[in-house]
């Protein structure tokens, strides 16, 4: 095997690793995505080194300007990444030396790659949390538009995917607003908790140089420096918390996607999905496949898998840094990409989808969906114990089923055969619109309650 020299390691490792070691050790193939964060961290570090008198102002200025040159080369696709230099940090530092010469060697004063990579990765994950917040707000806003348009449209509510009770379209949309609202809360909580700066923790024990960690933390938008240097370089909780929040959010997206797949089928026809988020069949010309929804439904597997993978990597590591932690990034990169794509696709689908009001209303009264309203009427009007009312209602459902009709189609005489005290007033509660209008408890499906929740969420989002 051929040997490659890695001058960045210096004396003892001047011979360099062989090709296999180089391949397993290098992370530049994926961590080059951290280029912008790495350069931002290095520019903040250089400014701090000058402010504390550790390096001269002229050297710091050369470093900061040279780093901008390197960043522009990367952004313009003119930068040549080297696997021999292992990672983004060494690639940037090596190029900086070519650009500005000897002052580049002073950039790494008072820091280690351990605190450098932890800082870069935190900055990157923080950006993803911000992107997830933006995506979730946009999705919630799209759901609010749908909820407001159909606040009083009736549809079947299901348990076990069986018709249960009538609800409103707006109420169903608002259920997802609540779900994604909790996701939004988790994203915001995670961002607040992770916003401590590792830079200055050095390899694991801090540094003897008189650095100003408050300065670099503030420059990079962190709330404070991380309080323990051992923890700062070995912490990946922030990535795990992002993956955890992403997994729950992806699960919610998957549940909604599953409903859209069902609702858009020929058997349901509850919604029509736009052509922008559907495809045709290569052989069946009548087909309109909800491919975007199906792909969103699948994303949870990749995102949840990333969460498990990183948890497994971290579970057995002693303090502080171990090379295992190089395996922390690819899963997070993949999960973030897929979460952002799924959020954007779901927002587009929600904005474009057309609920089919007649089909929704037609299905709302099927399957004896007002049986609970009948039982409640027996309790409320006749003073019947609920268990007895449940039994009487069951007998009426059986009678309607035998006749092949729904409850409102039973005559009063037929109802009185089951219980003689039933009056014609019972028909006031058997219509689906009457049913949903009666559910006025806080959080219920009554249109007035739905509109109140929409107003609350509009205020929350500002």
């Amino acid at each position: 095997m051929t040997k490659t020299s890695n001058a960045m390691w210096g004396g003892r490792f001047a011979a360099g690793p062989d090709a296999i070691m180089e391949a397993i050790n290098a992370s530049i193939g994926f961590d080059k995505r951290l280029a912008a964060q790495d350069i931002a961290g290095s520019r903040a570090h250089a400014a701090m080194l000058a402010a504390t008198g550790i390096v001269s102002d002229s050297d710091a200025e050369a470093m900061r300007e040279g780093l901008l040159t390197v960043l522009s080369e990367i952004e313009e696709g003119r930068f040549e990444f080297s696997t021999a230099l292992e990672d983004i940090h060494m690639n940037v530092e090596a190029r900086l030396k070519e650009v500005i010469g000897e002052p580049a060697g002073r950039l790494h004063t008072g820091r280690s790659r351990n605190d450098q990579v932890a800082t870069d990765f935190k900055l990157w994950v923080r950006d993803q949390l911000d992107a997830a917040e933006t995506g979730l707000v946009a999705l919630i806003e799209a759901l609010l538009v749908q909820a407001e348009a159909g606040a009083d449209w009736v549809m079947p509510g299901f348990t076990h995917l069986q018709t249960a009770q009538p609800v409103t379209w707006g109420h169903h949309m608002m259920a997802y607003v609540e779900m994604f609202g909790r996701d939004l809360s988790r994203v915001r909580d995670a961002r607040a908790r992770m916003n401590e700066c590792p830079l200055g923790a050095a390899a694991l024990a801090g540094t003897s140089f008189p650095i100003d960690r408050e300065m670099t933390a503030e420059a990079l938008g962190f709330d404070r420096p991380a309080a323990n240097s051992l923890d700062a370089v070995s912490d990946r909780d922030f990535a795990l918390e992002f993956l955890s929040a992403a997994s729950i959010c992806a699960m919610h997206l998957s549940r909604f996607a599953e409903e859209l797949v069902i609702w858009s089928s020929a058997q349901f026809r509850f919604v029509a999905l736009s052509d922008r988020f559907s495809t045709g069949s290569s052989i069946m010309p009548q087909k309109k496949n909800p491919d975007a929804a199906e792909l969103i439904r699948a994303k949870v597997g990749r995102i949840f898998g990333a969460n498990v993978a990183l948890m497994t990597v971290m579970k057995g590591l002693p303090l502080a840094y171990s090379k295992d932690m190089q395996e922390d990034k690819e899963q997070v990169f993949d999960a973030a990409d897929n979460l952002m794509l799924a959020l954007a696709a779901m927002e587009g689908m929600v904005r474009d989808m057309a609920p089919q009001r007649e089909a929704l209303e037609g299905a709302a009264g099927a399957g004896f969906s007002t049986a609970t309203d009948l039982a409640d009427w027996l309790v409320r009007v006749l003073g019947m114990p609920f268990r007895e009312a449940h039994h009487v209602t069951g007998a009426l459902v059986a009678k309607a089923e035998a006749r092949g009709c729904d409850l409102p189609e039973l005559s009063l005489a037929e109802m009185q055969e089951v219980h003689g005290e039933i009056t014609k007033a019972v028909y006031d509660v058997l219509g689906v619109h009457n049913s949903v209008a009666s559910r006025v408890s806080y959080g219920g499906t009554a249109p007035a309650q739905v509109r109140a929740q929409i107003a609350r969420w509009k205020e929350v989002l500002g």
Side-chain angles (χ1 to χ4, degrees), residues 90-141:
M90 284 189 166
N91 270 264
V92 168
E93 190 174 331
R95 178 59 182 147
L96 182 65
K97 185 174 183 180
E98 293 174 352
V99 172
I100 68 170
E102 186 263 348
R106 295 187 173 88
L107 177 60
H108 211 51
T109 307
R111 75 174 183 186
S112 161
R113 278 199 300 176
N114 293 354
D115 62 334
Q116 186 179 0
V117 67
T119 302
D120 293 358
F121 198 23
K122 263 199 174 182
L123 288 170
W124 193 90
V125 170
R126 192 176 69 186
D127 288 344
Q128 303 313 300
L129 288 165
D130 289 342
E133 178 176 5
T134 299
L136 282 162
V137 168
L139 175 55
I140 290 169
E141 289 174 342

Side-chain angles (χ1 to χ4, degrees), residues 146 169 270-274 349-357:
Q146 286 282 358
W169 171 261
F270 283 3
V271 299
L273 301 178
S274 76
M349 292 181 73
V350 170
R351 289 197 185 278
D352 283 5
M353 71 180 179
Q356 304 299 290
R357 185 175 184 178

Side-chain angles (χ1 to χ4, degrees), residues 68-294:
L68 288 180
T69 299
V70 175
L71 179 61
S72 67
E73 291 176 354
I74 293 172
E75 290 177 341
E76 294 166 10
R78 296 185 289 111
F79 191 95
E80 293 187 12
F81 294 99
S82 167
T83 56
L85 293 174
E86 292 185 17
D87 56 31
I88 186 61
H89 323 296
M90 284 189 166
N91 270 264
V92 168
E93 190 174 331
R95 178 59 182 147
L96 182 65
K97 185 174 183 180
E98 293 174 352
V99 172
I100 68 170
E102 186 263 348
R106 295 187 173 88
L107 177 60
H108 211 51
T109 307
R111 75 174 183 186
S112 161
R113 278 199 300 176
N114 293 354
D115 62 334
Q116 186 179 0
V117 67
T119 302
D120 293 358
F121 198 23
K122 263 199 174 182
L123 288 170
W124 193 90
V125 170
R126 192 176 69 186
D127 288 344
Q128 303 313 300
L129 288 165
D130 289 342
E133 178 176 5
T134 299
L136 282 162
V137 168
L139 175 55
I140 290 169
E141 289 174 342
L143 286 163
L144 289 173
V145 171
Q146 286 282 358
E148 195 161 29
D152 56 0
W153 297 5
V154 292
M155 67 175 289
F158 299 95
T159 61
H160 310 278
L161 203 55
Q162 306 296 313
T163 299
Q165 293 175 270
V167 296
T168 54
W169 171 261
H171 192 55
H172 202 113
M173 293 299 101
M174 291 304 294
Y176 283 105
V177 168
E178 293 294 328
M179 288 187 203
F180 293 122
R182 291 191 296 274
D183 291 325
L184 181 61
S185 175
R186 275 183 281 270
V187 163
R188 288 171 172 169
D189 285 351
R191 192 194 193 284
R193 197 162 19 257
M194 61 89 74
N195 208 32
E196 297 181 342
C197 185
L199 195 58
L204 75 162
T207 178
S208 58
F209 290 97
I211 61 174
D212 185 344
R213 294 191 63 207
E214 296 282 354
M215 180 180 174
T216 48
E218 182 178 356
L220 294 170
F222 288 103
D223 295 329
R224 65 193 70 84
N228 183 283
S229 59
L230 281 169
D231 177 56
V233 297
S234 59
D235 164 38
R236 293 300 183 270
D237 292 7
F238 62 92
L240 287 165
E241 193 163 4
F242 168 71
L243 290 176
S244 176
S247 295
I248 297 172
C249 181
M251 177 270 293
H252 288 152
L253 289 166
S254 181
R255 293 185 72 180
F256 196 13
E258 170 69 2
E259 294 209 311
L260 293 179
V261 170
I262 293 170
W263 290 353
S264 62
S265 69
Q267 288 71 30
F268 275 73
R269 298 188 186 277
F270 283 3
V271 299
L273 301 178
S274 76
D275 292 346
R276 295 199 307 158
F277 295 97
S278 305
T279 64
S281 167
S282 63
I283 190 173
M284 294 168 283
Q286 84 283 7
K287 292 288 291 299
K288 186 175 180 181
N289 299 324
D291 283 10
E294 292 172 357

Side-chain angles (χ1 to χ4, degrees), residues 406-422:
D406 210 339
L407 284 171
E409 296 170 298
L410 287 175
S411 68
L412 180 59
E414 287 173 312
M415 289 194 179
Q416 289 176 337
E417 288 173 4
V418 175
H419 196 283
E421 295 181 31
I422 296 175

